[in-house]
Amino acid sequence: MPWSRRKLAPRQHVFLQGDDKNHVHLVKSGYLRLYALLSNGRRQIIGFKTAGDFVALESGSTYRYSAQAVSATELHTVPISAFFAVAADDPQFLLRLYNMVCDNLSAAHDLVVTIAKRDAEESMAAFLLDIEARALGRKGKSDFVSLPMLRGDVADYLGLTSETVSRIFTNFKKRGYIEVRGRHGIRLLNRRALREISDRNARDFS
Amino acid sequence: MPWSRRKLAPRQHVFLQGDDKNHVHLVKSGYLRLYALLSNGRRQIIGFKTAGDFVALESGSTYRYSAQAVSATELHTVPISAFFAVAADDPQFLLRLYNMVCDNLSAAHDLVVTIAKRDAEESMAAFLLDIEARALGRKGKSDFVSLPMLRGDVADYLGLTSETVSRIFTNFKKRGYIEVRGRHGIRLLNRRALREISDRNARDFS
DNA sequence: CGGGTTATTGAATGATATCAACTTACGTGG
DNA sequence: CCACGTAAGTTGATATCATTCAATAACCCG
């Protein structure tokens, strides 16, 4: 399968919402944000992609969202025709793609659940636990996790404002649940407490 | 492919979150709600399914959400092993499944966007337009559309409360945007206005 | 070290949840 | 077929929490 390498600087776009979809992308290193620009000008981030993740597996002839580098990012790009030509000949491969999209679907459902919590603290706690769990596949436990995205990215992902995100970071710090190092380093000190917040009932009987 | 027919009364479950996933389902008539029960007891509806829709195409060995009949529903049920045996032998069929899951993924993204609007009126306007568009495939224009689900379902779908949903219905009625007949009939009288609400900027410069 | 971007903090506003009372719709059985 | 009873929906008052606007502080790149 033919592919080409591509390097992106922060803020550079892989593609824009509405572009003709001619390629599928595989992230080799770095970090991407996928986002939709709403007609009202707001931005909804629908996911982040990191090394090993495929981008644009969905059907449709145009991209439904934009993909932009958060930090310096390398990716491999494959013409979509070649990609699906291989897939059509190799049911095994197609099945793997199928499962990847299924995983994306589950992730989207999780995002719905996280957003709809309607309590900023709950959403944030769930987000931090999720980010750490995803990173834990690579690193050792109880270590600092990299948070490459900006506060505004977290906000646009969870449906909050960057101020609220900032306030909750501060609040979690004060309560000793997390430790923050610089802008992009975070370490969870009290996962249990975060899990309780993430799971707590809005109408609490305490 | 072997399949069996199944009839469900309102409130009856097709399956529960956490059950072993042994079957795939195809809705023949009626209406289903798919929902996740959160650890805090709240319910997040992640989608509704109607005639022609497949349920449980996702990967994974257990159901990640529950499926329950809203109104009397008929469906065809296929053992998952048989289903994927056929799919593995028939790349054409597998590709169609792939595209269906992709559509589900897009729908989930749309839901994220709708919820994250964070303005109840915007979410509701988008919801009504979406419901009508989906139903319009079958019926003539400017007609009453069936809204089989309850107010509480809409609320749990959009991340609101049933009271808020109710208030907005009333409000849209008063403004002449919609007409409501009984509990389950609705007709959009002013799509343009609804679209403007759905698309309006929170920080409006008017 | 300096400039610009990003993040934090504060005060006030406003939208939606909550709690509670009341009304309507609808299916069931008489 | 009508009356009734229950579940669903509506409406109102209040409280809460996130947003908004604004000012300051920290970070990071050259």
Side-chain angles (χ1 to χ4, degrees), chain A residues 11 118 150-151 163 166-167 170 183:
Chain A
R11 296 183 154 280
R118 311 244 88 204
L150 309 177
R151 298 290 183 270
E163 292 95 327
S166 194
R167 275 183 247 277
T170 304
R183 275 175 186 173

Side-chain angles (χ1 to χ4, degrees), chain B residues 11 150-152 163 166-167 170 183:
Chain B
R11 298 183 152 277
L150 308 177
R151 298 290 183 270
E163 291 96 328
S166 192
R167 275 183 245 277
T170 305
R183 276 175 187 172

Side-chain angles (χ1 to χ4, degrees), chain A residues 59-188:
Chain A
S59 59
S61 62
T62 59
Y63 295 111
R64 293 178 52 103
Y65 48 82
S66 302
Q68 184 184 31
V70 172
S71 52
T73 300
E74 270 188 303
L75 36 82
H76 290 177
T77 287
V78 183
I80 205 160
S81 50
F83 193 79
F84 280 103
V86 171
D89 264 0
D90 183 348
Q92 214 56 30
F93 181 60
L94 183 53
L95 201 58
R96 267 178 51 213
L97 293 185
Y98 178 81
N99 284 316
M100 280 187 199
V101 176
C102 285
D103 290 344
N104 285 346
L105 179 56
S106 295
H109 286 162
D110 288 346
L111 178 56
V112 167
V113 165
T114 301
I115 291 178
K117 280 173 181 290
R118 311 244 88 204
D119 179 308
E121 264 195 8
E122 289 180 42
S123 297
M124 283 289 296
F127 171 74
L128 291 175
L129 288 165
D130 182 55
I131 283 285
E132 199 207 26
R134 283 219 269 163
L136 229 61
R138 306 182 186 94
K139 299 198 173 184
K141 218 171 183 179
S142 80
D143 205 6
F144 273 89
V145 169
S146 170
L147 208 71
M149 72 288 282
L150 309 177
R151 298 290 183 270
D153 289 330
V154 179
D156 287 348
Y157 184 59
L158 298 178
L160 303 170
T161 60
S162 64
E163 292 95 327
T164 299
V165 170
S166 194
R167 275 183 247 277
I168 291 171
F169 265 86
T170 304
N171 193 268
F172 282 175
K173 254 189 305 194
K174 276 182 187 157
R175 292 200 252 167
Y177 296 168
I178 63 174
E179 187 184 344
V180 176
R181 192 173 56 185
R183 275 175 186 173
H184 302 299
I186 191 162
R187 174 205 231 156
L188 307 194

